[in-house]
Amino acid sequence: MDVVLGQVEQLPALLAVSRSALVRNWDSLTLDRALEWARYFQHLYDRFRARPKLREALGRRLRWSQPYPLLAFPTLDRCPQLLGLALLENRVLPHAACRRLLRSLLQSPGAGPGPDPRGLELLARRKAAACLLALPRRPPRRRPGPEVQLQAEAQLLLTRLREEGQEVGEAAGQLRCLCGVLEQLPQPRAFEIVAAALDLLKQGPGTDQAGDGDRDGSSLDGYQASAAGDECSAGLLLSWLLGNQERFSAFCLCLPCSYLAFLAGNYSQLSRSYLDLLTGWGSHLLYDPLQGRWVKSCLDKAELSWEELKKRFSCLCQESSLLKEQTQAALELLRTQDGGFKVHGLSVWTDLLMEV
């Protein structure tokens, strides 16, 4: 087993090299050896997938083999696809090796060793998705909500989470996968994708499939399983967002306030944290009697101005009657804790209640 663990440690290096300029010197023989290693790792997955202790040992060894991200035991099953995709996208791969790679990918199952046909299908889907997502972005929409490209990226993220849920099972492993995916993206884009994914989940299970409303027992079971999977995905996304206060603060500053109000109206856990965050921001405002308005206590911090804070509370009150009641109740409690004043300029919460 020590030999196998040592071999698995080489997987990050193999994937890293496949995306580097080192493949410039690869010939057909080197390519064949790389593909053989990828198929060997896939064989290890098939061999140990039903043995939990060995699965955990291999997964732990892969997690130690950083800095290459997103490596876990299910990665072994996708090694031929990951290697093939990396090499196809590497423009320095020599022409002869590239032709050899294409012949290997297109080889029929009965013609000799080669990747699983389902792997080729998956590779084609992901390559097509990569080309789609590389198209120029459309200008921002005037109304809140994800654009078409964001919806596609969010759907890919949700698909990845469902795949990991089927393979890994435990929430901790899925959360590690989610963190690995999102940490590769620039922060504003990661926040937009998470928000779009939460938006898609609120459209309900099975929204991407046609249906006439008639369900037999099996389809009802499938619907319930899909709903449970969507609830699990939403929980993972919220855990990632709310697990770090600095991250959640940046998320709220990144998105339009009307879109945040929509998400808060659909996710109670998010609405509570958002109200707490707005409360923290509002507590740093000071009243300037010379200017006759509330100003930031420290201009270097990321707190909101009075106008921005008022707009965000107004959006919460306009989203739904339930959210409006929760928001007003929170402001009433804050005003009471502040002394219960009803005079302008003494409490920021009093003035917010007057405004919203």
Side-chain angles (χ1 to χ4, degrees):
M1 190 62 192
D2 290 338
V3 175
V4 173
L5 291 174
Q7 292 170 337
V8 167
E9 282 186 346
Q10 305 305 313
L11 174 57
L14 174 63
L15 295 177
V17 167
S18 67
R19 294 188 176 276
S20 72
L22 295 176
V23 302
R24 188 189 308 274
N25 300 319
W26 281 21
D27 54 17
S28 298
L29 182 60
T30 306
L31 176 69
D32 287 343
R33 284 201 299 266
L35 293 174
E36 287 174 5
W37 272 108
R39 289 191 288 270
Y40 170 72
F41 290 131
Q42 190 177 51
H43 167 72
L44 292 181
Y45 173 84
D46 294 331
R47 182 179 174 185
F48 296 119
R49 62 184 302 181
R51 306 173 69 176
K53 291 185 178 179
L54 295 178
R55 280 178 52 134
E56 177 58 29
L58 290 171
R60 187 164 54 247
R61 187 60 62 95
L62 283 170
R63 289 193 293 271
W64 289 347
S65 305
Q66 296 300 314
Y68 195 92
L70 304 182
L71 293 186
F73 181 78
T75 309
L76 297 176
D77 187 38
R78 298 192 294 268
C79 278
Q81 294 80 47
L82 293 174
L83 180 65
L85 181 60
L87 291 172
L88 285 176
E89 293 180 338
N90 195 333
R91 296 188 178 184
V92 303
L93 184 68
H95 181 65
C98 186
R99 289 178 57 190
R100 182 78 172 184
L101 173 63
L102 291 173
R103 282 199 300 268
S104 174
L105 293 175
L106 297 174
Q107 192 174 33
S108 63
D116 193 325
R118 61 188 172 92
L120 180 58
E121 178 185 353
L122 177 62
L123 181 65
R125 288 209 322 266
R126 290 184 174 173
K127 183 64 176 178
C131 293
L132 170 64
L133 299 179
L135 294 174
R137 293 184 58 184
R138 298 184 179 185
R141 292 164 36 162
R142 292 186 178 180
R143 61 181 183 180
E147 62 193 55
V148 175
Q149 181 179 340
L150 267 179
Q151 287 181 339
E153 294 183 58
Q155 189 61 61
L156 286 174
L157 176 62
L158 293 175
T159 301
R160 177 68 181 274
L161 286 178
R162 294 185 186 110
E163 290 175 353
E164 293 294 331
Q166 295 171 358
E167 294 291 348
V168 179
E170 77 276 6
Q174 296 178 62
L175 186 58
R176 284 195 300 268
C177 168
L178 177 64
C179 292
V181 171
L182 296 176
E183 285 171 3
Q184 293 185 91
L185 299 172
Q187 199 171 75
R189 193 61 174 175
F191 293 152
E192 292 172 349
I193 292 173
V194 169
L198 290 171
D199 191 344
L200 287 175
L201 290 172
K202 273 305 163 184
Q203 296 178 20
T207 53
D208 55 343
Q209 297 176 357
D212 56 6
D214 297 330
R215 293 187 175 92
D216 55 18
S218 61
S219 61
L220 179 58
D221 290 342
Y223 182 88
Q224 292 172 341
S226 177
D230 287 353
E231 184 177 352
C232 178
S233 297
L236 289 170
L237 292 169
L238 291 173
S239 295
W240 179 81
L241 265 183
L242 305 178
N244 182 290
Q245 182 67 19
E246 184 178 350
R247 178 190 299 147
F248 181 60
S249 176
F251 172 82
C252 293
L253 289 172
C254 171
L255 296 181
C257 57
S258 54
Y259 196 20
L260 279 170
F262 165 77
L263 295 176
N266 284 281
Y267 296 97
S268 58
Q269 189 178 358
L270 180 64
S271 68
R272 291 192 297 269
S273 297
Y274 187 37
L275 276 173
D276 290 343
L277 184 64
L278 292 178
T279 299
W281 283 338
S283 64
H284 290 287
L285 293 178
L286 299 175
Y287 190 76
D288 186 342
L290 296 179
Q291 301 183 48
R293 62 188 182 91
W294 294 91
V295 297
K296 294 181 181 181
S297 60
C298 180
L299 296 178
D300 295 334
K301 293 185 178 180
E303 294 124 4
L304 299 180
S305 67
W306 162 254
E307 290 76 14
E308 293 168 332
L309 189 69
K310 181 174 64 176
K311 183 177 180 182
R312 287 176 182 267
F313 274 106
S314 296
C315 285
L316 289 175
C317 291
Q318 294 169 8
E319 177 59 32
S320 67
S321 57
L322 177 61
L323 197 56
K324 178 180 180 179
E325 291 174 2
Q326 294 174 347
T327 303
Q328 290 182 336
L331 289 174
E332 288 282 3
L333 178 61
L334 290 167
R335 179 171 68 176
T336 301
Q337 293 174 348
D338 234 12
F341 300 106
K342 296 185 179 181
V343 180
H344 175 71
L346 292 181
S347 170
V348 66
W349 316 118
T350 298
D351 290 7
L352 278 172
L353 277 169
M354 291 178 178
E355 293 287 344
V356 306

